[in-house]
């Protein structure tokens, strides 16, 4: 224990924490760590946090279809509502609090300018079905964003409406299906690397394709020989992630694309990891046919605790005619939103596979993404990729002497560094234990147990918006935790100890699901 | 550059730690043919915040915003007043900048919100269980049809002509490539009950039918009693899927659950979320307990931690893509978490009392306007039983009328010609939505403008 010059304790180690008198507090709170009951335990159906006008006199047209039975929806006054949600918010980790090194998720800073721009009434308070003459600025914004996406990827077409990454994958794979159908080709097999995101095989299956895995080589890349050997008249497409989910660039991608095309197939690229390439490599130069772009990853729109996302898809010339509706076109009179009927008459779009969503896509995310792109510009985006890759390699270089680093010897990584838990094997601890120990250190852990090709994977993606000091602190914590885990493993089997909750029983949650509140 | 903390000295020190001579050495795996010498051509360089703001504000300024004009546009997206505290709460960084709650010990805030949201949605729809949200109403409906296939092991879906045509289009897109059979119907503007094809639907149900899909209130605003349809579907072993695009209606109209629905999907935008030119919106998805393991999307469940304290986790993930891969119930990963939060906060502010009152105001105002507009010569009020949206049949094609109304500064509704291109019978139809935001002055302006345009 150390003290400052007025005798106040400045540092306590874990075993020196004083016990609370009696061991517990009356409230269950611990100073700023506040417990919060459920809304259903706080509110009541007669309480209301809005003042509404009175109901005007008019004939009731619902008759016996009026809802008369209780709905049982509790309300709260405005101060109680604000407090309920503010208290809950404090039980969350977030980028605004610290580094969020979740591999393959690109948790970068979310600029507040984006939020301000998306809330301009000219974007936020317009209806998707207003006459087009009244929304020319909105269509112009979509057109401008489309131009940025096509230019950054070096691809000739883009579909804007997909609502998230997996929805973009679906868009790309449907275009491939439509293109094959248009030439009367019934190929059914889609090749997916073992290391792919789970959404890839799920999407391919959703489109009626049969999924086959392609193995990785010892260097963590696609086994090109195995892939080429499998190509043939039954292979519709290859879905490939670049950089791949081990955080490595696929150096043979140009060769792979050429081989797939020669065999009559298409190449779908999962663009989840585009942050490593943005402004520095155009995927179009590699020969791909379609790629989705997660605006909520590379282009800084907030993740919001699980969405909303946005997943525009860029297309090659071969797939462009099959892209979905609607789309924006620039005409002499202004911008035109091309919906159902006109599309069939338009020469460039008469093969469209149809509509993927009601209305036109995630406008709110479009505004944020464009604000971000304009802020960075072509030069800034190049720097984004470079700093993202630099930060990841710095993490790799600073930890690979302690942490098992499966592919570190094959050269630099891209935007994320992959580790494994082999080094913890001798003391019987795992990746999960390490992740939970990092929670006690005040960090959100890295992605764990993904990709599946590595035992006990830990995928660290710092992003470019972390300073060197921030990385050094995480590196220090990761080294310290690893050393302590190896020295006294029993201290770490039940981490975290300091979070709002200890380890949660997920098995019990799944065995007997309680998915909504029921009064006791 | 304001979003990049690394200084040049940091970069050099870090390259030295890595042992790389320069940044290019880290991009060594990029094929030479794809290496670029500098910033990508054809794009501007970085820009200060003030200039970005100025340029985007100029674009925003070219749009006619709903809040500045008499506004009656609906058809799947609705203008309601969203309390200021909703937007304040969703902008808290702990919600805004968090990820999917994969580490539950430090994500209890998001998880408890989702648990409360699921409960609110289940009660609102009259169902037993709801998921943590989908992209939007249209994609939720398609997922519901696929869920019905998994539950019934049948492949034929029967879809009412009263369902939002964009929703039907999305379903058609995705079933074009599967072996599902989708039986759609072209709606007709039957006087009094537009789009109500219940008799046809009931006649079409057979032992191959997985589900019947119907919207209530339907795209024309018509509200129907779905009980006979539920009974017919269940008698044949099929499920009833009910679509709700205006969730405020659930504060006034008997819930789908009470009418026998097996799956309820909806667009939740009306509560807590702005118009946003069509997105991001909020897909609602609710069903019966017995079908929960066939449900798509994320689910939050209650459990306890190692100290026995109540806590929440994402659960039943063995249905999901990251575990099941090609055998998953759906490929969905991201949902609409922040929109669900906005919904939940607004719903909490309303409570049952506020929701019922808000719904009653919407209904009464719509009835008032409908009766006024129906007095204009040549205008027929086609919908008789409606909530806050109704269909008018005009003496002329509606699409040019709506453009002329806009020229007069009135956003008067949606033409059925735009929603159902190529259906000649519907071109004179116009769907008008009325919410609590419309004033008496707005009513006057609309009535006068429509009168003038039709004169």
């Amino acid at each position: 224990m150390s003290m400052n010059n007025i005798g106040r304790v400045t540092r306590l180690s874990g075993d020196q924490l004083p016990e609370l008198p009696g061991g517990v507090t009356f409230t269950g709170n611990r100073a700023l760590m506040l417990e919060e009951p459920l809304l259903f335990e706080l509110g009541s159906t007669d309480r209301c946090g809005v003042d509404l006008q009175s109901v005007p006199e008019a004939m009731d047209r619902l008759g016996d279809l009026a809802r008369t039975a209780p709905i049982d929806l509790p309300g709260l006054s405005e101060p109680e509502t604000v407090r309920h949600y503010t208290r809950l918010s404090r039980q969350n980790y977030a980028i605004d609090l610290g580094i969020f090194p979740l591999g393959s998720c690109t948790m970068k800073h979310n600029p507040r300018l984006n939020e301000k721009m998306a809330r301009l009434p000219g974007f936020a308070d317009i209806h998707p079905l207003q006459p087009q003459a009244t929304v020319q600025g909105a269509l112009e914004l979509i057109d401008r964003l489309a131009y940025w996406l096509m230019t950054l990827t070096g691809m000739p077409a883009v579909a804007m409406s997909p609502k998230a990454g997996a929805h973009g994958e679906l868009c790309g794979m449907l275009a491939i299906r439509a293109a094959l159908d248009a030439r009367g080709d019934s190929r059914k097999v889609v090749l997916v690397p073992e290391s792919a995101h789970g959404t890839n095989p799920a999407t391919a299956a959703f489109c009626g394709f049969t999924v086959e895995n392609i193995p990785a080589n010892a260097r963590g890349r696609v086994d090109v020989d195995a892939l080429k050997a499998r190509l043939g008249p039954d292979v519709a497409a290859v879905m490939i992630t670049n950089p791949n989910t081990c955080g490595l660039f696929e150096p043979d991608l140009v060769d792979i694309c050429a081989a797939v095309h020669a065999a009559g197939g298409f190449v779908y690229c999962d663009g989840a990891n585009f942050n490593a390439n943005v402004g520095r490599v155009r995927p179009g130069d590699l020969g791909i046919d379609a790629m989705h772009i997660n605006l909520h990853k590379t282009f800084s729109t907030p993740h919001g605790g699980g969405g909303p996302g946005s997943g525009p898809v860029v297309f090659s010339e071969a797939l462009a005619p099959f892209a979905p509706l609607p789309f924006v076109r620039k005409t002499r009179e202004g911008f035109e939103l091309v919906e159902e009927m006109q599309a069939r008459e338009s020469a460039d779009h008469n093969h469209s596979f149809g509509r993927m969503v009601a209305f036109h896509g995630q406008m709110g995310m479009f505004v944020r993404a464009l604000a971000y792109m304009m802020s960075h510009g072509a030069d800034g985006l190049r720097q984004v990729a470079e700093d993202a890759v630099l930060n990841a390699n710095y993490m790799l270089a600073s930890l690979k002497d302690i942490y098992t680093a499966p592919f570190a010897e094959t050269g630099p990584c891209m935007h994320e560094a992959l580790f494994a838990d082999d080094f913890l094997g001798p003391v019987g601890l795992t990746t999960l234990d390490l992740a939970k120990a990092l929670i006690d250190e005040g960090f959100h852990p890295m992605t764990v147990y993904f990709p599946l090709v590595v035992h006990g994977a830990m995928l660290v993606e710092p992003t470019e918006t972390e300073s060197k000091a921030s990385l050094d602190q995480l590196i220090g914590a990761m080294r310290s935790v690893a050393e302590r885990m190896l020295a006294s493993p029993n201290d770490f089997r039940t981490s975290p100890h300091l979070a709002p909750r200890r380890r949660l029983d997920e098995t019990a949650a799944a065995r007997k699901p309680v998915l909504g509140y029921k009064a006791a | 550059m304001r979003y990049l903390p690394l200084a040049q000295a940091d970069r050099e020190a870090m390259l030295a730690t890595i042992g790389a001579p320069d940044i290019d050495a880290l991009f060594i795996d990029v094929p030479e043919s794809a290496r670029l010498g500098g910033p990508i051509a054809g794009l501007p360089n970085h820009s200060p915040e003030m200039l970005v703001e100025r340029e985007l504000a100029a674009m925003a300024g070219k749009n006619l915003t709903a809040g500045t004009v008499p506004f009656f546009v609906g058809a799947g997206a609705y203008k309601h007043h969203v309390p200021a505290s909703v937007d304040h709460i969703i902008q808290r960084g702990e919600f805004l900048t968090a990820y999917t709650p994969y580490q539950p010990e430090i994500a209890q805030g998001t998880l408890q919100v989702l648990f409360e949201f699921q409960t609110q949605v289940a009660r609102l729809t009259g169902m037993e269980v709801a998921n943590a949200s989908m992209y939007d109403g249209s994609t939720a409906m398609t997922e519901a049809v696929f869920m019905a296939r998994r539950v019934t092991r049948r492949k034929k879906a029967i879809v009412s002509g009263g369902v939002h045509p964009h929703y039907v289009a999305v379903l058609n897109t995705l079933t074009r490539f599967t072996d599902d059979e989708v039986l759609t119907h072209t709606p007709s503007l039957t006087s009094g009950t537009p789009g109500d094809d219940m008799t046809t639907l009931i006649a079409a149900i057979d032992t191959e039918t997985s589900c019947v899909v119907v919207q209530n209130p339907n795209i024309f605003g018509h509200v129907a009693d779905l009980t006979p349809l539920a009974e017919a579907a269940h008698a044949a072993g099929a499920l009833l899927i009910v679509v709700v695009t205006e969730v405020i209606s659930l504060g006034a109209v008997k819930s789908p659950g009470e009418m026998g629905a097996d799956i309820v999907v909806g667009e939740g935008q009306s509560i807590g979320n702005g118009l946003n030119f069509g997105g991001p919106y909020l897909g609602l998805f609710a069903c019966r307990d017995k079908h929960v393991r066939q449900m798509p999307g994320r689910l939050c469940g209650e459990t306890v931690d190692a100290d026995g304290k109540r806590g929440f986790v994402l659960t039943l993930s063995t249905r999901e893509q990251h575990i099941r891969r090609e055998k998953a119930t759906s490929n969905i990963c991201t949902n609409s978490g922040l929109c669900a939060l906005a919904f939940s906060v607004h719903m909490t502010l309303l409570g049952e009392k506020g929701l019922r009152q808000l719904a009653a105001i919407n209904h009464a105002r719509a009835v008032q306007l409908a009766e006024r507009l129906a007095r204009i010569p040549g205008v027929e009020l086609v919908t008789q039983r409606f909530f806050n949206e109704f269909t008018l049949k005009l003496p002329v094609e509606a699409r040019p009328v709506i453009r002329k109304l806009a020229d007069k500064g009135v956003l008067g509704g949606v033409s059925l010609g735009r929603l159902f291109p190529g259906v000649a019978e519907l071109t004179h139809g116009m769907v008008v939505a009325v919410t609590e935001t419309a004033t008496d002055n707005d009513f006057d302006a609309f009535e006068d403008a429509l009168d003038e345009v039709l004169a």
Side-chain angles (χ1 to χ4, degrees):
Chain A
M1 188 183 297
S2 58
M3 295 191 188
N4 65 14
N5 57 8
I6 55 167
R8 198 165 278 169
V9 175
T10 57
R11 185 183 297 159
L12 291 166
S13 60
D15 54 357
Q16 291 169 316
L17 281 174
E19 285 297 312
L20 281 166
V24 289
T25 57
F26 171 73
T27 55
N29 298 333
R30 286 191 292 163
L32 285 176
M33 207 186 282
L34 302 165
E35 293 293 319
E36 181 62 6
L38 284 162
L39 160 66
F40 307 93
E41 296 157 342
L42 293 170
S44 60
T45 53
D46 57 354
R47 227 176 315 170
C48 186
V50 292
D51 291 322
L52 297 161
Q53 64 261 51
S54 54
V55 181
E57 287 289 320
M59 187 179 98
D60 166 44
R61 285 176 171 264
L62 292 172
D64 59 355
L65 291 183
R67 191 169 193 175
T68 50
I71 314 175
D72 204 11
L73 286 167
L76 293 172
S77 67
E78 180 177 315
E80 293 169 303
T81 302
V82 170
R83 191 169 289 168
H84 178 63
Y85 289 99
T86 303
R87 283 178 168 228
L88 287 180
S89 77
R90 291 164 52 95
Q91 298 181 18
N92 269 3
Y93 192 90
I95 314 165
D96 281 1
L97 291 169
I99 183 170
F100 211 126
L102 210 46
S104 105
C105 301
T106 314
M107 294 295 282
K108 61 170 71 178
H109 171 64
N110 302 141
R112 290 322 196 266
L113 173 66
N114 302 357
E115 297 304 310
K116 186 179 178 188
M117 294 300 94
R119 285 171 171 77
L120 291 172
F123 296 132
D125 195 27
I126 52 174
H127 191 287
L129 297 175
Q130 283 181 214
Q132 294 189 16
T134 67
V135 290
Q136 284 295 299
L139 298 178
E140 181 184 351
L141 183 131
I142 295 175
D143 184 70
R144 180 83 63 90
L145 179 62
Y147 171 77
W148 275 83
L149 293 173
M150 289 187 289
T151 308
L152 287 169
T153 55
M155 302 284 278
V158 61
M160 299 298 290
S161 65
K163 296 229 162 208
H167 205 224
E169 288 175 27
L170 190 57
C171 174
M173 295 309 286
L174 289 176
I176 289 171
R177 252 320 270 272
L180 290 169
D181 287 355
R183 69 181 196 212
D185 195 332
S186 61
R187 334 173 149 229
K188 276 262 187 252
V189 175
V190 169
L191 305 179
V192 179
E194 290 171 322
S195 60
H197 294 125
T199 52
N200 289 179
T203 300
F206 198 85
C207 299
F209 289 113
T210 312
V211 178
E212 286 184 25
N213 280 325
I214 348 171
N217 64 23
R219 304 178 71 244
R221 275 83 169 178
V222 168
D223 185 332
V224 182
D225 294 334
L227 183 141
K228 283 185 177 169
R230 182 59 192 83
L231 290 175
D234 59 337
V235 175
V238 174
M239 294 183 88
I240 198 162
T241 308
N242 187 49
N244 68 25
T245 59
C246 299
L248 304 170
F249 199 95
E250 291 287 353
D252 299 315
L253 193 50
V254 173
D255 190 24
I256 290 170
C257 290
V260 174
H261 291 155
F266 293 95
V267 177
Y268 185 85
C269 183
D270 183 325
N273 295 338
F274 189 48
N275 206 46
N277 290 341
V278 63
R280 207 163 150 129
V281 179
R282 290 181 302 197
D285 294 338
L286 302 168
I288 63 161
D289 294 290
M291 182 180 93
H292 75 264
I293 300 160
N294 305 72
L295 298 185
H296 49 291
K297 293 181 180 176
T298 310
F299 296 109
S300 82
T301 75
H303 281 77
S310 181
V313 180
V314 287
F315 285 114
S316 63
E317 294 286 1
L319 290 180
F322 304 93
L325 300 172
F327 60 94
V328 175
R329 181 159 61 191
K330 205 170 181 173
T331 68
R332 258 175 305 169
E333 291 79 39
F335 295 93
E336 183 192 7
L337 182 74
V338 182
E339 298 178 283
E340 326 288 308
M341 277 307 273
Q342 313 112 291
R344 268 168 243 159
E345 295 148 15
S346 102
D348 55 339
H349 235 78
N350 53 356
H351 288 97
S352 171
F353 69 70
R355 183 178 270 284
M356 290 197 77
V357 294
F359 314 124
H360 338 305
Q362 306 285 66
M363 182 67 176
M365 302 297 121
F366 298 163
V367 180
R368 290 172 174 88
L370 186 60
Y372 175 81
M373 290 178 187
M374 290 166 67
S375 295
H376 267 309
D379 55 339
L381 289 172
R382 186 180 168 90
Q383 192 70 56
V384 164
E386 291 178 358
D387 285 359
V389 170
L390 180 63
N391 279 356
N393 276 287
Y394 183 65
M395 296 290 301
L396 182 62
S398 305
L399 291 166
K400 67 181 177 187
D401 58 324
I402 297 191
Y403 283 69
T404 311
F407 305 114
E409 298 316 311
T410 71
C413 63
M414 295 300 285
H415 64 301
E416 55 195 356
L418 178 63
F419 301 101
D421 67 356
D422 304 34
F423 73 105
L424 293 173
V427 294
L429 291 172
T430 64
T431 286
L432 185 74
D433 300 314
L434 191 136
K436 300 303 183 192
L438 282 175
I439 288 176
D440 277 340
E441 292 287 339
F443 294 101
H444 194 286
M446 62 292 276
T447 291
V448 293
Y449 299 104
F450 180 84
L452 307 175
V453 289
V454 168
H455 181 268
M458 295 175 233
L459 193 59
V460 180
E461 181 179 5
T463 84
E464 75 285 358
T465 60
E466 294 305 322
S467 67
K468 181 170 178 294
S470 165
L471 300 181
D472 285 337
Q473 195 192 31
L474 177 60
I475 289 163
M478 284 179 71
R479 295 189 68 92
S480 164
V481 165
E483 283 161 5
R484 283 181 283 144
M485 288 177 91
L486 294 171
S488 35
N490 286 336
D491 292 352
F492 291 90
R493 295 191 202 281
T494 57
S495 305
H497 301 278
L498 306 174
R501 285 292 177 274
R502 304 279 307 279
R503 283 190 204 191
L504 289 140
D505 191 343
E506 302 193 21
T507 313
R511 198 185 309 119
K512 219 178 155 208
V514 179
L515 306 170
Y517 177 78
K518 286 176 186 72
Chain B
M1 243 153 275
R2 60 187 182 275
Y3 303 147
L4 300 177
L6 293 186
Q8 200 49 39
D10 296 327
R11 295 187 181 111
E12 280 156 22
M14 291 162 75
L15 282 170
T17 303
I18 296 163
D22 54 29
I23 191 72
D24 289 341
L26 302 181
F27 287 85
I28 193 79
D29 284 331
V30 177
E32 270 187 55
S33 60
R35 290 184 197 167
L36 301 171
I40 288 175
L43 296 171
N45 280 340
H46 65 279
S47 184
E49 181 167 315
M50 187 179 73
L51 295 186
V52 174
E53 189 168 339
R54 191 176 291 166
E55 199 166 338
L56 289 173
M59 273 189 227
K62 293 177 192 167
N63 302 320
L64 188 59
T65 61
T68 59
V69 289
F71 182 86
F72 303 92
V73 189
Y78 300 89
K79 177 164 180 61
H80 291 286
H81 176 75
V82 178
S85 48
V86 173
D87 197 46
H88 162 76
I89 288 163
I90 70 168
Q91 285 202 73
R92 277 193 72 92
E94 300 92 326
F95 285 131
L96 184 76
T97 75
Y99 197 72
T100 304
Y102 288 140
Q103 296 288 345
E105 297 89 347
I106 47 173
Q108 285 298 303
T110 293
L111 285 160
Q112 185 169 330
V113 166
L114 292 179
F115 187 79
E116 293 177 354
F117 169 81
Q118 289 174 183
T119 310
Q120 287 172 321
V121 173
R123 291 179 181 188
L124 197 56
T125 53
M127 302 303 284
E128 287 155 5
V129 57
N131 76 9
S133 81
M134 314 287 283
Y135 304 136
D136 74 347
S138 68
T139 51
M141 187 188 95
T142 297
E143 292 278 1
V145 170
F146 289 133
M147 174 171 157
R149 179 182 61 185
R150 292 191 295 272
V151 169
T152 62
R153 298 175 188 277
R154 302 176 185 176
K155 292 176 177 172
K156 184 163 122 190
I158 301 172
V159 184
S160 162
V163 175
H164 196 299
H166 286 183
Y167 288 39
V168 179
V170 173
L171 177 65
N172 280 333
T173 296
L174 293 181
T175 51
R176 207 179 119 190
F177 302 99
T178 62
D179 54 359
D180 294 85
E181 186 190 342
V182 178
L183 191 60
T184 57
H185 296 86
T186 305
S188 69
L189 272 192
T190 316
S191 192
T193 58
D196 189 334
D197 46 13
M198 206 169 308
T199 316
T200 315
L201 299 179
I202 290 173
I205 298 172
D206 59 18
T207 53
E208 305 290 300
T209 305
S210 66
C211 59
V212 184
V213 186
V214 63
Q215 180 177 320
N216 206 37
N218 75 11
I219 185 69
F220 308 100
H222 172 65
V223 178
D225 180 6
L226 305 176
T227 316
L229 192 57
E231 284 165 3
H234 296 159
L239 305 187
L240 176 65
I241 297 173
V242 178
V243 180
V244 180
T245 62
E246 168 52 298
V247 277
I248 300 287
S249 71
L250 295 171
V253 180
K254 195 179 277 189
S255 70
E258 291 169 281
M259 297 198 237
D262 300 283
I263 304 175
V264 182
V265 291
E267 175 49 68
Q269 170 269 329
S270 276
I271 298 183
N273 291 274
L275 290 168
N276 290 314
F277 201 49
Y281 284 176
L282 170 67
L284 307 179
F285 200 114
C287 69
R288 303 284 174 193
D289 269 336
K290 63 181 172 189
H291 297 140
V292 69
R293 284 173 199 273
Q294 294 301 334
M295 206 180 198
R298 291 186 187 130
L299 283 165
C300 172
E302 183 183 320
T303 187
V304 291
D305 77 353
D307 291 337
K309 281 187 185 168
R310 178 171 69 191
F312 303 93
V313 291
L314 292 182
T315 191
L316 300 184
S317 55
T318 49
R319 302 162 300 118
E320 292 187 76
Q321 47 77 24
H322 63 278
I323 308 286
R324 290 275 282 175
R325 299 176 78 82
E326 68 267 23
K327 294 189 184 68
T329 55
S330 159
N331 78 333
I332 193 169
C333 178
T334 294
N335 60 11
S336 297
L338 203 67
C339 301
L341 172 65
F343 176 103
S344 201
V345 177
H346 192 184
M347 194 62 248
T348 299
L349 285 163
L350 287 168
E352 179 161 346
K353 182 166 171 254
L355 177 73
R356 284 184 181 275
Q357 191 176 341
L358 180 60
I361 294 166
N362 273 255
H363 181 55
R365 293 293 280 165
V367 170
Q368 287 179 333
L369 182 67
E371 288 169 359
R372 280 177 71 168
L373 297 180
R375 288 199 290 268
I376 297 174
V379 174
E380 183 200 342
L381 175 61
V382 186
T383 322
Q384 287 303 318
R385 183 145 68 177
F386 57 84
F387 168 61
N388 70 349
E389 193 166 27
F390 51 84
T391 298
L392 299 177
K393 196 169 181 179
L394 306 180
V396 294
E397 271 197 29
R399 204 162 185 180
V401 170
I402 282 166
R403 291 198 195 111
K404 286 177 199 161
L405 289 171
D407 291 341
K408 292 176 177 294
V410 174
L411 293 175
V414 181
S415 70
L416 294 180
R418 180 170 181 184
L419 289 171
F420 296 91
V423 184
E425 197 214 330
L426 299 176
T427 52
H428 288 210
M430 172 166 100
V431 189
V432 177
V434 188
T435 74
E436 75 286 357
T437 61
T439 65
D440 287 340
N441 288 342
D442 294 340
F443 281 18
D444 294 343
F446 189 12
E447 190 179 357
D448 291 349
L450 187 59
D451 211 15
E452 284 167 30
V453 169
L454 293 178

